[in-house]
Amino acid sequence: MVFEKDQLVVYPAQGVGRVEGIRTYEIGGVESDFYVVRILSNNATLLVPTANARGVGLRSICDAEYGQSVLSSLHDWTDFKGNVGLNWNRRYREYSEKLKSGDLVDVAHVLKELIFISQNKELSFGERRLMEQAMGLITTELAFALERDREALQQEIEEIFGGIAGENPE
């Protein structure tokens, strides 16, 4: 897949960015082309090899239909068990991997699990950070996909879960 200048893309665990262009760099005597991607949430610049952009998970933002289905999935608690039985260290590694996958469904699952766990016990600092990261990844991509305000979308998601640490969503 070829990405164009000014196209919105998603880089796993970093979020939505804008392709600023393609630059060629010589590395180890070999010239390679890289997408220059500016991450919108923190203004960081990433260089993503054009030859392996898919391999590292760079993708277009989801379409509105898929975005709406992910948002709707946050309302659905049927068959949801949560990962409460694992110790926090194992959960942290598992959730980090899901966030790095770049799959919005995985990110939504991490958010749901962490909110579910937070309603029964205090999250570790790392888990709270992961929950904030998951919320940021979801709200930013869905805001662009659904053409909605990010803050309003975050408020809607927080209301789904009773204000994050509020009442049990079941």
Side-chain angles (χ1 to χ4, degrees):
M1 170 174 271
V2 176
F3 300 104
E4 303 294 326
K5 185 176 181 352
D6 293 325
Q7 181 177 352
L8 291 176
V9 294
V10 177
Y11 191 86
Q14 295 292 323
V16 176
R18 185 177 309 280
V19 176
E20 292 187 336
I22 297 176
R23 292 201 184 123
T24 303
Y25 293 97
E26 185 177 318
I27 300 173
V30 176
E31 283 193 353
S32 298
D33 292 332
F34 293 85
Y35 290 111
V36 179
V37 178
R38 171 95 42 203
I39 300 300
L40 302 181
S41 64
N42 60 12
N43 214 26
T45 301
L46 304 177
L47 296 176
V48 182
T50 58
N52 192 29
R54 268 235 195 274
V56 298
L58 190 67
R59 62 174 175 80
S60 300
I61 63 168
C62 68
D63 63 32
E65 184 178 332
Y66 185 76
Q68 189 58 53
S69 74
V70 169
L71 184 59
S72 296
S73 77
L74 295 175
H75 289 276
D76 183 11
W77 289 86
T78 56
D79 299 328
F80 183 79
K81 295 174 181 38
N83 222 347
V84 184
L86 298 177
N87 68 40
W88 72 268
N89 194 17
R90 186 179 247 169
R91 281 194 312 265
Y92 183 86
R93 282 193 310 264
E94 183 179 311
Y95 297 156
S96 293
E97 287 303 312
K98 284 187 176 192
L99 293 181
K100 288 177 192 172
S101 78
D103 183 346
L104 202 53
V105 170
D106 282 347
V107 175
H109 186 80
V110 168
L111 182 62
K112 279 176 87 167
E113 284 203 5
L114 286 170
I115 290 170
F116 180 76
I117 292 167
S118 75
Q119 293 173 350
N120 297 308
K121 68 182 207 93
E122 189 172 337
L123 297 177
S124 70
F125 173 78
E127 288 173 318
R128 284 193 309 271
R129 216 174 103 245
L130 285 177
M131 185 167 70
E132 290 169 6
Q133 182 182 6
M135 179 66 85
L137 293 171
I138 282 182
T139 56
T140 303
E141 183 168 359
L142 290 182
F144 282 106
L146 301 174
E147 298 179 1
R148 294 189 46 199
D149 178 71
R150 193 191 72 73
E151 287 80 19
L153 195 56
Q154 180 168 336
Q155 185 175 0
E156 179 182 334
I157 292 171
E158 287 176 354
E159 287 171 5
I160 291 170
F161 299 113
I164 298 295
E167 2 163 320
N168 194 329
E170 297 180 298

